[in-house]
Amino acid sequence: MSVQQRIAARVAPHIPRGAVVNLGIGIPTLVADHLPLDHAYLQTENGLLGVGPTPAPDEVDPDLVHAGKQPVTARPGASYFSSSASFGMIRSGRVEIAVLGALQIDAQGRIANWAIPGRPVLGVGGAMDLLVGARTVIVATTHTAKDGAAKIVSEATFPLTAQRPVDLVVTEAATFRVTPDGLELVEIAEDHDLEWVQAHTTAPYRVAIDERGAVHA
Amino acid sequence: MTLASPPVPLPSVAAALEAVRPGATLMVGGFGLVGAPLTLIEGLLEHPGARDLTIISNNLGEPGRGLGRLLLEGRVRKAIGSFFTSNPDVVAAYQEGRLEVELLPQGTLAEAIRAGGAGIGGFYTRTAWGTALAGGREERIIRGEPHLFYESLRADVALVRARAADELGNLVYSKTARNFNPDMATAADVVIAEVDEVVPVGALDPEEIVTPHPYVTTVVLSGKAAAR
């Protein structure tokens, strides 16, 4: 399994049955591959609640896409709506869980995922609305950037997407819970250890491994 | 369904687009190319008055496609939207100073259009508060939470894509091709709808009509319909 799929698989158990969920572009979209078809109601901000699996190539409908502009299907019970209604749904808390990607996560659990210093800022999409509106926000991200730099940092050097902290950060290596006192390491993946997490995380965090964690530190 | 032949001939795309004057502000529906009025956009390329435009649209098409072509022809002065990064031509035009860009969070863009179409001057939202996109906007605490003020948006002309119209101009949409189209159909002085078919009055279920006809100025047939 690719690292992206492993991260998505690690997010899936955090999606309760029957939840209304918005999956962001990239790794978050892959979470659907790890959930039973009827497990959750997937919302996509371009105007569909009840996103179904990718259609076979000969069944693609050009009018039916998710926010990543890839073809999808609509599940029984699905509904279509306008962009303003879609974001009304998001900002008013009807979307219970948003799974988002991140470029950086700071020590308070705030994320940066829309702009890179030194590059023109020409895209923001729906991330800011999802962060203020979704009742629970889960970050699904690689633990480090492509150049190996830590993504979970004391202070973000990239512009923040919102002041609101996320609730959970899931990487291929670890899971952090965001608390009013900062980050808590609550789980380490079986193929990683605390030493690796320590070496690749520059933000301060409390180690609070639960009884299921495979940590022997 | 087959294409009905309406008793009143529909205007050509060129005739409908006469409403677009140099320097106009246009709303253009679509999420990427899905739900974009591609026949009308192509018509703009043939219309000399379509220049120095301000375009309100989630994206500016794709490279060389949809609104991306209008940009390449130097017809767009300013773009107001939420996600332009997927078209490298937009990035280049912006960096070379050929294009002004106003970036709004997608939900704020949609609500600004909705409000503009509903006779509302502006609104407060929590979105973007405390970020670099907040700029110097007015802030207000509502129910204990900081909000930012945004003025609503309106346009001279809206170009929208619908699946079908009846002869009055009532519109129904198709799946996720709906997106910004019904919002934009309320928020411009002139609304031109591009549809695949026009059906007799009474043929659309009133429960299914998303855009009632008083919002719609002109209906034209899509290239897809013309090809049938």
Side-chain angles (χ1 to χ4, degrees):
Chain A
M1 218 191 301
S2 70
V3 64
Q4 287 80 10
Q5 285 289 4
R6 274 189 287 137
I7 296 164
R10 287 166 50 72
V11 170
H14 297 285
I15 310 291
R17 189 172 172 76
V20 176
V21 183
N22 181 296
L23 301 175
I25 295 167
I27 296 172
T29 300
L30 304 177
V31 173
D33 298 343
H34 302 274
L35 294 172
L37 212 50
D38 61 351
H39 184 81
Y41 302 102
L42 302 181
Q43 196 254 20
T44 183
E45 62 266 28
N46 55 318
L48 165 61
L49 174 62
V51 179
T54 305
D58 59 340
E59 282 167 15
V60 167
D61 182 335
D63 285 345
L64 191 44
V65 298
H66 64 39
K69 297 173 185 145
Q70 297 304 307
V72 292
T73 49
R75 297 265 307 142
S79 52
Y80 301 112
F81 33 83
S82 68
S83 296
S84 64
S86 182
F87 281 94
M89 192 181 287
I90 288 167
R91 285 188 308 263
S92 66
R94 266 70 173 196
V95 171
E96 295 163 277
I97 298 179
V99 184
L100 299 172
L103 299 167
Q104 288 183 328
I105 302 104
D106 78 6
Q108 296 175 52
R110 298 178 301 182
I111 68 168
N113 75 352
W114 66 287
I116 297 172
R119 290 205 211 156
V121 178
L122 295 173
V124 59
M128 289 185 174
D129 303 284
L130 284 159
L131 265 170
V132 304
R135 275 189 257 160
T136 299
V137 180
I138 300 173
V139 168
T141 178
T142 53
H143 203 94
T144 57
K146 281 195 183 111
D147 64 0
K151 280 187 159 190
I152 306 169
V153 295
S154 295
E155 276 187 53
T157 52
F158 296 177
L160 294 173
T161 308
Q163 290 294 323
R164 179 244 170 114
V166 302
D167 298 279
L168 203 66
V169 179
V170 179
T171 77
E172 73 279 21
T175 303
F176 295 88
R177 191 159 56 204
V178 179
T179 76
D181 301 321
L183 303 176
E184 263 185 11
L185 176 64
V186 293
E187 189 256 340
I188 296 176
E190 278 181 14
D191 52 354
H192 285 74
D193 56 25
L194 182 60
E195 199 179 332
W196 191 96
V197 173
Q198 284 170 333
H200 295 87
T201 309
T202 57
Y205 55 89
R206 204 168 72 79
V207 179
I209 300 294
D210 69 19
E211 64 279 5
R212 292 177 299 122
V215 173
H216 312 286
Chain B
M1 279 193 282
T2 54
L3 179 67
S5 43
V8 182
L10 296 175
S12 67
V13 167
L17 289 174
E18 285 301 318
V20 177
R21 310 272 178 211
T25 296
L26 260 58
M27 287 182 182
V28 183
F31 187 88
L33 297 178
V34 178
L38 295 175
T39 308
L40 286 166
I41 293 168
E42 287 200 10
L44 287 175
L45 293 164
E46 309 298 321
H47 175 42
R51 59 178 193 272
D52 201 25
L53 301 173
T54 293
I55 302 281
I56 301 171
S57 193
N58 191 51
N59 326 87
L60 266 191
E62 290 178 6
R65 298 178 70 194
L67 290 171
R69 280 184 68 190
L70 209 60
L71 172 72
L72 284 181
E73 294 214 356
R75 311 285 197 94
V76 186
R77 182 181 68 79
K78 182 177 178 182
I80 301 173
S82 93
F83 200 79
F84 300 115
T85 327
S86 52
N87 186 347
D89 294 336
V90 177
V91 180
Y94 174 79
Q95 284 180 315
E96 290 160 19
R98 289 185 281 119
L99 179 73
E100 197 184 327
V101 170
E102 186 177 335
L103 195 64
L104 294 171
Q106 197 173 127
T108 302
L109 172 68
E111 183 60 16
I113 296 164
R114 192 206 66 79
I120 301 292
F123 60 96
Y124 291 89
T125 176
R126 291 167 296 151
T127 304
W129 179 81
T131 74
L133 265 197
R137 288 177 191 282
E138 180 197 332
E139 295 185 17
R140 185 159 174 172
I141 306 290
I142 299 172
R143 290 187 286 275
E145 290 195 78
H147 286 62
L148 293 175
F149 179 75
Y150 285 82
E151 282 192 11
S152 62
L153 289 170
R154 284 195 60 87
D156 299 309
V157 181
L159 308 182
V160 303
R161 178 82 168 100
R163 184 182 65 74
D166 68 13
E167 287 160 8
L168 286 172
N170 288 308
L171 301 180
V172 293
Y173 297 87
S174 174
K175 300 170 183 156
T176 58
R178 181 183 304 204
N179 58 62
F180 284 91
N181 287 298
D183 295 317
M184 290 180 171
T186 64
D189 297 340
V190 173
V191 175
I192 307 173
E194 170 182 333
V195 301
D196 289 339
E197 62 178 344
V198 178
V199 299
V201 173
L204 297 177
D205 180 352
E207 296 282 6
E208 287 178 7
I209 292 169
V210 176
T211 300
H213 66 82
Y215 290 109
V216 180
T217 315
T218 313
V219 173
V220 301
L221 285 176
S222 69
K224 197 173 149 192
R228 284 197 277 204

